[in-house]
Amino acid sequence: MRKNVYLLLLGCIYAINALAQLPETSIVVKGHVEGLKDSIIMQVYEGNGEQFRVFFHKSLPDDNGMVRDGRFTVINSYQDTVPGLFYLFIPDAFSSISEMRIPFYANPGDTVYVEGKGMLLADWKITSKAKLQEELSDYYPVAYQEHVNYQKAVMDYLDYRKYRRNATMSDEEWDYSGKQLELKKAISDSLKIEYQLAQLEAMKKMPINTVWMQKIGVMCNFFTKDKVKWAIKDLYQTRMREINRYPEGKRILALLYPSPKAELGKRAVDGDLMDLQGRTYHLSDFKGKYVLLDFWSTSCGPCIAAIPSMKKFKERHPDMVIVSLCIDQFKYWKTNRHYQNLPWYNLNDGGGQLGLAKSYDANAVPTYILISPEGNYVNKWVGQEIFQENGILEQLLYPQP
């Protein structure tokens, strides 16, 4: 018996608890695409290049986003007060989101309109009131033919994979079809690289703005092929000054040129750390004192739950330097009320999960790193239990005779 496991990889998804009613702030997407198959359920998710947010609601009908006669309406929650970047995508049990998605910007509460023909997303048009959508529209014709070639190859690969899954074949036919499937996948991967390189070539001459930064941020990730990454490095070196004027520039720098790995007992890995007022700090500024690094995220419940214990610990040890280092993008960090007005440092290195968090292998939050007065990396813990009175942290710092 052949067993196939199919995983729809959503990148880094933050699942939000189902809400009792449709929130006041939402994004509505209405579309009419000729030739779009009935019963497909279109979906929308929020994304910023580093993470994706998907929201679920009890109150929404089961057919939210379902296509009927080429028409669909998708309602998506948006819990922010500024315009956001979203992706409309055609979910498929055999594809990843990145292969069948189209980006757009929308203001909170907006209705966005989609028009097109067929399954080629390169031929779809999105109309939105968001100002950033005007900038994004400049990119739709960029590398158009390469985009079409890539999407055709993806659909060919997906269609063949569906056929292979449902067909009755002999073992010999199954082996042959597997080789054909690998060939189709290799072709689509090659055309994806051509499409990305064509975009990067065009971006050399395009103005750097918010959309430009987010476009390059999406292309530059863990899975970027070397050939594309080299082209991004070339583009970064050419336009470094302009790129670094944007907060996202630090994340791109961290992706292209990762920070070194921190090693226990050795000099702590340092970086440029910014506070909410824009002042820059370094871990070396606190040399002569113990420093506790607190890696946290705005979506992390345990991080927020640890604050009262941290406050009590700080009261018992006022000389201890605590640096809460947020791994989220600046816009989420700056608007988080829980970590403001605390009796310790609230900083951000701009690298997200690819900055100091990666150097210290902070793969879960909260993660705590202890740095000695000499500036060496001493220890690492996950979880708030370390702040208990006479607990593991106090015993390490202040051993009883």
Side-chain angles (χ1 to χ4, degrees):
M1 180 183 296
R2 301 185 184 96
K3 294 182 180 179
N4 296 290
V5 179
Y6 300 95
L7 175 64
L8 178 60
L9 177 61
L10 295 180
C12 181
I13 295 180
Y14 291 88
I16 306 301
N17 291 332
L19 303 177
Q21 58 184 7
L22 183 66
E24 293 182 6
T25 303
S26 58
I27 304 298
V28 178
V29 179
K30 292 189 174 184
H32 181 204
V33 179
E34 296 179 21
L36 198 58
K37 298 176 183 177
D38 282 356
S39 299
I40 288 177
I41 298 180
M42 305 296 295
Q43 295 185 24
V44 170
Y45 68 92
E46 181 192 354
N48 54 37
E50 183 174 358
Q51 63 191 33
F52 305 130
R53 297 183 175 207
V54 178
F55 300 90
F56 304 92
H57 314 279
K58 289 180 180 177
S59 61
L60 293 182
D62 293 336
D63 63 352
N64 182 42
M66 184 173 288
V67 177
R68 292 192 180 92
D69 298 323
R71 299 180 184 274
F72 59 86
T73 299
V74 187
I75 302 172
N76 189 74
S77 166
Y78 184 49
Q79 299 176 340
D80 210 333
T81 58
V82 296
L85 171 64
F86 300 86
Y87 291 91
L88 174 67
F89 73 96
I90 305 175
D92 186 295
F94 312 100
S95 68
S96 71
I97 288 176
S98 62
E99 293 164 336
M100 300 297 286
R101 70 180 183 181
I102 182 169
F104 67 91
Y105 288 89
N107 299 315
D110 268 2
T111 297
V112 175
Y113 297 93
V114 182
E115 293 180 310
K117 292 183 179 181
M119 296 287 285
L120 285 176
L121 302 184
D123 292 329
W124 293 15
K125 178 183 177 183
I126 294 185
T127 304
S128 168
K129 296 177 183 176
K131 185 174 178 61
L132 287 173
Q133 183 64 26
E134 297 177 15
E135 296 179 9
L136 181 61
S137 297
D138 294 337
Y139 287 84
Y140 288 153
V142 171
Y144 170 79
Q145 191 56 54
E146 288 85 354
H147 192 187
V148 168
N149 294 342
Y150 166 55
Q151 288 202 330
K152 284 182 177 179
V154 168
M155 288 190 291
D156 183 45
Y157 165 70
L158 297 177
D159 287 344
Y160 192 80
R161 186 155 69 169
K162 286 182 184 178
Y163 156 75
R164 184 171 182 262
R165 177 175 180 263
N166 297 318
T168 301
M169 303 181 187
S170 65
D171 289 343
E172 184 177 344
E173 290 171 329
W174 179 261
D175 291 340
Y176 175 77
S177 66
K179 293 177 182 178
Q180 290 296 106
L181 187 67
E182 290 176 4
L183 177 61
K184 291 179 182 294
K185 182 65 168 65
I187 291 172
S188 69
D189 288 345
S190 175
L191 290 174
K192 180 178 182 179
I193 291 174
E194 287 187 19
Y195 172 45
Q196 291 178 322
L197 291 175
Q199 289 183 88
L200 290 167
E201 184 63 30
M203 289 171 70
K204 288 180 178 179
K205 300 177 183 179
M206 299 181 78
I208 294 181
N209 49 32
T210 300
V211 173
W212 194 99
M213 292 296 298
Q214 289 187 323
K215 289 282 288 184
I216 197 170
V218 169
M219 278 192 273
C220 187
N221 56 51
F222 290 114
F223 309 105
T224 304
K225 300 296 184 183
D226 285 344
K227 194 172 183 180
V228 176
K229 189 165 284 188
W230 294 334
I232 296 174
K233 283 184 176 181
D234 180 59
L235 184 56
Y236 179 83
Q237 293 294 339
T238 302
R239 308 190 70 175
M240 186 187 307
R241 287 189 178 180
E242 296 170 272
I243 291 172
N244 288 338
R245 289 175 188 158
Y246 289 80
E248 297 86 352
K250 286 193 173 183
R251 177 179 172 271
I252 293 170
L253 177 63
L255 278 162
L256 296 176
Y257 306 98
S259 298
K261 284 288 185 184
E263 297 182 48
L264 280 169
K266 302 235 177 128
R267 181 70 59 188
V269 177
D270 207 342
D272 295 332
L273 314 177
M274 185 185 298
D275 69 7
L276 292 169
Q277 288 72 44
R279 293 174 296 225
T280 301
Y281 294 84
H282 300 91
L283 297 177
S284 59
D285 296 339
F286 311 113
K287 194 170 183 179
K289 293 184 178 182
Y290 275 105
V291 177
L292 188 71
L293 264 180
D294 159 36
F295 288 100
W296 69 283
S297 169
T298 57
S299 63
C300 170
C303 299
I304 296 167
I307 291 176
S309 299
M310 294 173 70
K311 284 183 176 179
K312 290 179 181 178
F313 179 86
K314 181 67 174 173
E315 289 171 0
R316 295 196 302 271
H317 309 288
D319 290 339
M320 180 79 177
V321 176
I322 299 177
V323 175
S324 288
L325 194 62
C326 184
I327 64 171
D328 292 333
Q329 286 195 344
F330 285 106
K331 76 170 185 176
Y332 299 115
W333 166 57
K334 289 182 176 180
T335 56
N336 185 274
R337 59 185 176 85
H338 298 287
Y339 271 75
Q340 295 188 20
N341 302 315
L342 292 174
W344 59 79
Y345 296 91
N346 176 20
L347 308 178
N348 194 318
D349 69 351
Q353 295 171 322
L354 306 169
L356 287 185
K358 187 174 182 182
S359 295
Y360 288 97
D361 287 325
N363 300 318
V365 284
T367 289
Y368 303 102
I369 303 296
L370 183 64
I371 298 171
S372 73
E374 295 74 32
N376 296 327
Y377 174 21
V378 176
N379 215 327
K380 171 183 173 182
W381 303 272
V382 177
Q384 61 172 306
E385 294 78 10
I386 66 168
F387 297 111
Q388 295 175 355
E389 191 167 2
N390 297 320
I392 185 171
L393 182 54
E394 287 189 352
Q395 291 178 22
L396 179 64
L397 294 173
Y398 313 102
Q400 297 296 322

